[in-house]
Amino acid sequence: MRSQLVLAFVIAVGWCVAPAVLFAQGRDPIGTIVPCNGIDCGLCDFATLVQNLLNGGIIIAGTLSAILFSYGGFLYLTSAGDAAKAGRGRQVLINVVVGLIIILAGWLIVDTVMKVMLKGDFGPWNKICDLPPLDSGGRR
């Protein structure tokens, strides 16, 4: 019970302090999430919105997984021969690895599907707005 309170406290402090650390040099790591003002939004703005949400999710997942890796490692190393506590630490580590694999596989699937749908002849799929328009033959 005490370790859960400590973990909750660390997460709460990290949640409050992280924006100050990330924005310390005046840079926003993922940019503005909603790229348009809500009135004159187009397909390009929607693609940018989806990419910003994916990037934000990956940042949050990476941060939480690092915290949970630390927690699982702490449980495992401080088990002092207690098989139940060591098993709990090992299970936390396994769950974090599986969760990261699922999250990154989801991102890879979305990225691959978008590149296939957009013919994959350019870099990131969210840069569709930077491409020249198609000619009458469907070529750029």
Side-chain angles (χ1 to χ4, degrees):
M1 180 67 177
R2 186 168 192 267
S3 64
Q4 292 172 344
L5 290 174
V6 171
L7 179 64
F9 177 74
V10 169
I11 289 174
V13 169
W15 191 269
C16 295
V17 173
V21 173
L22 289 175
F23 303 132
Q25 296 180 355
R27 294 190 319 243
D28 188 354
I30 60 173
T32 306
I33 293 178
V34 180
C36 63
N37 60 9
I39 298 172
D40 54 352
C41 299
L43 179 63
C44 296
D45 295 320
F46 179 72
T48 304
L49 172 68
V50 170
Q51 184 64 39
N52 290 342
L53 289 174
L54 286 172
N55 289 344
I58 295 295
I59 289 171
I60 290 170
T63 304
L64 289 177
S65 65
I67 291 169
L68 288 172
F69 267 126
S70 300
Y71 175 67
F74 177 78
L75 284 179
Y76 190 74
L77 289 175
T78 59
S79 63
D82 184 5
K85 197 171 180 184
R88 173 77 178 130
R90 187 177 17 246
Q91 192 60 41
V92 169
L93 292 172
I94 291 170
N95 289 343
V96 171
V97 169
V98 169
L100 265 178
I101 289 171
I102 290 171
I103 289 169
L104 294 176
W107 174 82
L108 185 63
I109 290 168
V110 168
D111 190 57
T112 304
V113 167
M114 292 301 289
K115 283 184 180 179
V116 168
M117 287 175 49
L118 298 172
K119 297 185 182 179
D121 57 348
F122 56 92
W125 60 266
N126 65 320
K127 300 293 183 196
I128 188 171
C129 300
D130 298 339
L131 295 175
L134 295 174
D135 62 8
S136 60
R139 294 180 300 272
R140 297 200 192 287

